[in-house]
Amino acid sequence: MPERYDIAIVGGGPAGLAAALYASRAKLRTVILERQAFGGQVALTGVIENYPGYPSVAGSDLAQKMHDCSMRFGATELIADLTAIRPVPSGSFALETSVGLLEARAVIVATGSRHRELGVPGEARLRNQGVSYCAVCDGPFYEGVEIVVVGGGDSALQEAVFLTEYASKVTVVHRRHEFRASVEVQRMARNNSKVRFALGQVVQEICGQDGVENVVLREVATGQVETIPAEGIFIYVGMEPSTSFLRGLIQLNSEGFIPTDGRMRTILPGLFAAGDVREKTVRQIATACGEGVEAALAAQEYLKGQ
Ligand SMILES: Cc1cc2nc3c(=O)[nH]c(=O)nc-3n(C[C@H](O)[C@H](O)[C@H](O)COP(=O)(O)OP(=O)(O)OC[C@H]3O[C@@H](n4cnc5c(N)ncnc54)[C@H](O)[C@@H]3O)c2cc1C
């Protein structure tokens, strides 16, 4: 017989941990599944300066505190990879995981999303040392210096404009000569005197000893190489939500994110989603926590009404 829970939370990042705190404190039989390390992306972040209550905190410290705080009301934690969810006739959900089957009356999906990487030399080595995927998080570290933004969609151009609040010059590198970004966003970027464009170019390498110093660009048409000075590089070439286990269960949006209403309810009763895995615009620690709380309270209401 599979182990049975009131609520299964999938993903041990800020959204999942906040949900676990509220669900277990409400005395619901709660399990939280995490396939790698509790804390999610927070555990992998260098320094965080925009989480209320902490003027400046190492990501690993905040992740540990969130985990310890959320687990103190008795939620069961499981290191396991969720591979599929299916409804069962009792009205519950069966969860297939790398460590076996379990059942829950409600499920909160908080599996986050990953920024796509360029896969070029220097990117992994200099991550958090000049290579960033989040302008809101890291922009203030680049006051008065030259930086590069990679990408041609709304996110890339919007963040390039945002980063001109700090950087002295922002070079937008895009492999095509046309942008996917909306006309209005393009206009904002083109009208900003600090934004320069390197179009028809790709990043070949990110260079530097202990931090980013230069970025090597290659022209797509000619193969010609140019090195430009930059102390930071912000990469916006798309995001990949972790939702493959939901295929066939609910309709995801065109990029694979989960649509919900304001109470984090999906179209399927009993199935909730919170944090970066949701279809939304702002992806931050504080918003993920808030959505985890909302999802846990909505799930609690759902269980009462069952
Ligand atoms: C480099 C970087 C720096 C950032 N800096 C900041 C910052 O300074 N301030 C800020 O507010 N935000 C920052 N962010 C954004 C912030 O980290 C995210 O918005 C937040 O972590 C989202 O929380 P989440 O719980 O939704 O998802 P995540 O943190 O991504 O957690 C999801 C968890 O689910 C697990 N998981 C995924 N699939 C499965 C599965 N099938 N089975 C089991 N477990 C699974 C993952 O292993 C992961 O631990 C940063 C992000 C990055 C990448």
Side-chain angles (χ1 to χ4, degrees):
M1 282 286 282
E3 197 75 26
R4 288 211 164 85
Y5 295 92
D6 294 320
I7 299 193
I9 297 160
V10 193
L17 288 171
L21 171 60
Y22 274 66
S24 55
R25 192 159 177 262
K27 299 194 191 314
L28 295 167
R29 198 150 183 259
T30 304
V31 63
I32 178 164
L33 280 72
E34 167 54 50
R35 70 173 168 200
Q36 272 172 331
F38 283 94
Q41 291 184 46
V42 176
L44 308 173
T45 301
V47 177
I48 293 158
E49 292 192 330
N50 58 2
Y51 187 67
Y54 292 87
S56 176
V57 60
S60 53
D61 285 353
L62 182 60
Q64 187 67 49
K65 284 196 171 78
M66 281 184 168
H67 168 267
D68 296 350
C69 175
S70 293
M71 289 305 137
R72 66 199 207 286
F73 294 104
T76 301
E77 53 186 283
L78 212 55
I79 291 294
D81 193 355
L82 175 78
T83 49
I85 304 179
R86 49 189 168 76
V88 289
S90 62
S92 295
F93 295 91
L95 283 79
E96 290 172 21
T97 82
S98 52
V99 298
L101 200 63
L102 54 97
E103 259 185 51
R105 294 165 61 209
V107 177
I108 299 174
V109 177
T111 44
S113 61
R114 241 171 35 90
H115 292 270
R116 263 193 211 119
E117 292 169 11
L118 293 174
V120 298
E123 183 178 14
R125 182 172 60 84
L126 294 168
R127 190 182 178 124
N128 293 333
Q129 289 173 283
V131 176
S132 173
Y133 303 83
C134 180
V136 169
C137 315
D138 299 333
F141 298 126
Y142 297 90
E143 189 75 53
V145 300
E146 297 187 18
I147 60 167
V148 163
V149 169
V150 188
D154 278 332
S155 299
L157 294 193
Q158 271 166 348
E159 303 301 11
V161 171
F162 169 77
L163 286 163
T164 61
E165 299 282 330
Y166 308 101
S168 58
K169 179 175 162 187
V170 178
T171 302
V172 175
V173 178
H174 180 41
R175 60 165 51 243
R176 301 201 174 79
H177 285 272
E178 311 79 40
F179 290 106
R180 271 179 293 110
S182 66
V183 174
E184 177 56 21
V185 171
Q186 288 190 44
R187 193 187 55 75
M188 269 166 49
R190 288 188 199 282
N191 287 348
N192 189 308
S193 60
K194 283 188 175 179
V195 176
R196 300 270 188 284
F197 297 96
L199 301 183
Q201 312 227 26
V202 291
V203 174
Q204 178 161 298
E205 188 175 353
I206 302 168
C207 309
Q209 280 294 329
D210 300 323
V212 172
E213 292 164 18
N214 299 300
V215 174
V216 182
L217 304 181
R218 190 182 72 249
E219 195 166 346
V220 176
T222 62
Q224 197 174 327
V225 168
E226 179 196 3
T227 300
I228 61 168
E231 290 188 29
I233 174 166
F234 288 78
I235 299 166
Y236 283 99
V237 292
M239 294 190 77
E240 285 170 16
S242 174
T243 48
S244 54
F245 51 84
L246 287 175
R247 240 167 248 144
L249 190 65
I250 55 165
Q251 177 92 43
L252 303 171
N253 81 2
S254 58
E255 293 160 301
F257 290 94
I258 306 173
T260 70
D261 66 10
R263 302 231 48 214
M264 312 300 136
R265 294 178 290 213
T266 70
I267 190 126
L268 186 63
L271 184 70
F272 302 80
D276 282 12
V277 75
R278 279 180 66 229
E279 179 179 55
K280 60 171 185 169
T281 45
V282 178
R283 293 193 165 83
Q284 290 285 279
I285 302 165
T287 54
C289 288
E291 292 167 24
V293 172
E294 187 77 54
L297 295 176
Q300 191 183 347
E301 259 173 43
Y302 165 80
L303 292 175
K304 270 194 200 142
Q306 239 192 345

